[in-house]
């Protein structure tokens, strides 16, 4: 167990924001996590100040706007194992510190279906249920079986089943009711032995055709998703970003109809509850700063809006978190002014 002080977090967040953490430690077992928390409790008692705790995975859904005056605990619990099998499913338990895409590759290599549409999403297993990650028609809730989480105060492991997690669009109980209360230590997924291919979303079918795929397979779907993603999403190793900066907003159908009568190109998808989910990327593309008609491709210093996907804000090198945040404020204001729709940030602002 080693606690470091005044550590730069630049390499620990995909936005590449250079801020300091007052304290930083990593853990690869639940016991080490327990020891770190015990140590932190005794420090808090002797110094009479409780400092904040931030659990870090791959840092791919965070924007640091200032130094973190607390302790960052980086989850590095590893391990992937099959824990159960029945006629239809294989249940695979993965340590929260496993890289998500490595887990997807494990499933594909073992012919286990269900997560292929979620290929290439950055970050770790532990954060996948945090906000019910989703892409190309699939969300974690569709393959989720259970998770184990360590209660920061009670210092016990609790098990959460599907119904305990209150999964929604980029939402879970861990972002709301239990915010900052648990460290997810492992997740068990329920994978299909017999694949149910999900190709209806977006451009998957077109991409499969372009690839010349005759016999559809989970590997082919994964490859198609990877191709589509790579064509529009910036690689954090090259340009700092945290994926979609905002959520796609949900509005009532009558509101959509009014907007549609003025903006005929507006992009929206009907939801099972009758509401419409708007493509925030389209809304952002239609607005811009004073000097330009669109935010798409806009750059101010090192802070910008990605040229191929307006929903993604980027750091070209040395942008500060507050500069990215200020850009997001300006985007929210302009979209609200033009469409009367308030965008909600998807990225965690720290
Ligand atoms: P972090 O950024 O480290 O943490 C995110 C939040 O979860 C923080 O609040 C953190 O405190 C908390 N947390 C992390 N681990 C734990 C844990 N073990 N226990 C408790 N709390 C924890 N997301 C999608 O849903 N779909 C996409 O298609 C998608 N595409 C992306 C593309 C790019 C290029 C990038 C950069 C990001 C994309 N994202 C996408 C967002 C991001 O990859 C996901 O949100 C991912 O799950 C974050 O994982 P992480 O380990 O990096 O989490
Ligand atoms: N669009 C534009 N201009 C843009 C971007 C998008 O007009 O600059 C319109 C287009 O009509 C496009 C539509 O928006 O067809 C949808 O775009 P895209 O397929 O790229 O998906 P998205 O809605 O922008 C969401 C998720 C992504 C996920 C993809 C694929 C959110 C907030 N984002 O993006 O998740 O990968 O769908 O399923 O729901 C993330 O969460 O970080 C993320 C990248």
């Amino acid at each position: 167990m080693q606690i470091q002080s005044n550590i730069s977090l630049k390499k620990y967040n995909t936005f590449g924001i250079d801020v300091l953490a007052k304290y930083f430690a990593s853990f690869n077992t639940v016991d080490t996590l327990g020891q770190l928390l015990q140590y932190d409790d005794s420090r808090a008692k002797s110094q009479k100040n409780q400092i904040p705790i931030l659990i870090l995975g791959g840092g791919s859904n965070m924007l640091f706007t200032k130094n973190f005056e607390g302790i960052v605990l980086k989850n590095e619990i590893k391990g992937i194992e099959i824990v159960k099998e029945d006629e239809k499913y294989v249940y695979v338990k993965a340590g929260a510190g496993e890289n998500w895409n490595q887990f997807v590759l494990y499933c594909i290599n073992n012919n286990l279906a269900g997560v292929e549409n979620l290929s290439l999403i950055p970050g770790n297993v532990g954060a996948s249920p945090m906000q019910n990650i989703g892409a190309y028609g699939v969300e974690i809730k569709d393959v989720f079986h259970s998770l184990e989480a360590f209660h920061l105060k009670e210092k016990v492991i609790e098990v959460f089943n599907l119904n305990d997690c209150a999964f929604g669009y980029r939402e879970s109980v861990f972002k709301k009711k239990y915010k900052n209360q648990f460290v997810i230590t492992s997740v068990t997924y329920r994978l299909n032995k017999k694949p149910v291919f999900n190709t209806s979303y977006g451009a998957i079918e077109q991409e499969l055709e372009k690839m010349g795929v005759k016999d559809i397979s989970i590997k082919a779907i994964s490859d198609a998703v990877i191709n589509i993603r790579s064509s529009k999403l910036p690689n954090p190793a090259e340009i700092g970003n945290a994926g979609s900066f905002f959520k796609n907003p949900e509005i009532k159908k009558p509101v959509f109809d009014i907007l549609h009568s003025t903006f005929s190109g507006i992009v929206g998808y009907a939801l099972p509850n009758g509401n419409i989910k708007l493509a925030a990327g389209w809304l952002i593309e239609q607005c811009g700063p004073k000097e330009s008609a669109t935010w798409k491709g806009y750059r101010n210093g090192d802070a910008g809006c990605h040229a191929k996907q307006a929903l993604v804000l980027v750091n070209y090198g040395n942008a500060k978190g507050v500069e990215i945040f200020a850009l997001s404020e300006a985007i929210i204001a302009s979209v609200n002014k033009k469409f009367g729709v308030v965008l909600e940030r998807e990225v965690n602002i720290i």
Side-chain angles (χ1 to χ4, degrees), residues 55 57-61 75 122 124 127 130-131 133-134 170 184 229 243:
I55 306 301
S60 63
N61 205 30
N75 192 327
N124 293 352
M130 247 338 257
Q131 60 150 17
I133 58 168
R170 301 294 193 270
I184 295 166
R229 292 180 69 94

Side-chain angles (χ1 to χ4, degrees), residues 129-302:
M130 247 338 257
Q131 60 150 17
N132 184 24
I133 58 168
Y136 297 94
V138 175
E139 290 181 333
I140 278 300
K141 69 166 174 44
D142 305 324
V143 289
F144 181 88
H145 175 263
S146 60
L147 64 77
E148 291 178 336
F150 192 79
H151 195 287
L152 286 168
K153 284 235 158 65
E154 307 297 332
K155 315 274 192 289
V156 288
I157 288 275
E158 287 187 30
V159 176
F160 290 77
N161 294 311
L162 183 62
N163 289 337
D164 305 321
C165 293
F167 287 129
Y169 168 55
R170 301 294 193 270
E171 278 301 346
S172 77
V173 77
F174 302 102
K175 276 186 94 173
K176 289 203 162 133
K177 186 171 160 198
Y178 295 140
K179 193 172 161 75
N180 297 333
Q181 291 185 37
F182 284 95
V183 180
I184 295 166
T185 54
S186 71
V187 185
T188 302
Y189 303 93
R190 193 193 68 174
L191 286 317
N192 281 304
K193 286 184 170 175
K194 209 169 148 213
V196 182
F197 299 121
N198 194 331
T199 58
S200 56
Y201 190 97
I204 297 186
E205 265 167 19
Q206 280 158 267
E207 186 60 35
L208 286 169
E209 215 176 285
K210 204 165 112 193
M211 286 159 57
V213 172
K214 298 266 172 334
D215 294 321
I216 195 162
S217 64
I218 53 177
K219 171 81 169 67
I221 293 191
S222 170
D223 288 344
V225 167
I226 288 172
N227 289 349
I228 300 167
R229 292 180 69 94
S230 309
S231 72
K232 52 181 155 186
L233 291 170
N235 178 354
E238 289 157 15
I239 304 176
N241 76 95
S244 301
F245 198 88
F246 306 97
K247 287 185 183 180
N248 285 328
E250 185 174 330
I251 59 169
K252 299 273 177 216
K253 175 81 167 57
V255 180
F256 178 77
D257 291 340
I258 295 169
L259 281 171
H260 190 251
S261 63
T262 316
F263 307 101
S264 58
I266 193 165
V267 182
Y269 312 93
L271 295 171
N273 65 5
N275 290 345
I276 305 289
K277 192 186 267 190
L278 293 177
W282 186 89
L283 300 175
I284 297 169
E285 189 172 342
Q286 309 309 309
C287 302
K290 278 191 206 88
E291 63 273 26
S292 165
T294 182
W295 288 110
K296 201 169 177 172
Y298 171 81
R299 178 171 178 170
N300 181 11
D302 274 353

Side-chain angles (χ1 to χ4, degrees), residues 278-331:
L278 293 177
W282 186 89
L283 300 175
I284 297 169
E285 189 172 342
Q286 309 309 309
C287 302
K290 278 191 206 88
E291 63 273 26
S292 165
T294 182
W295 288 110
K296 201 169 177 172
Y298 171 81
R299 178 171 178 170
N300 181 11
D302 274 353
C305 179
H306 191 49
K308 293 182 187 161
Q309 225 300 1
L311 200 46
V312 179
L313 301 191
V314 292
N315 172 13
Y316 286 104
N318 294 310
K320 296 206 174 334
V322 284
E323 292 168 336
I324 306 273
F325 187 81
L327 174 57
S328 75
E329 290 276 84
I331 290 174

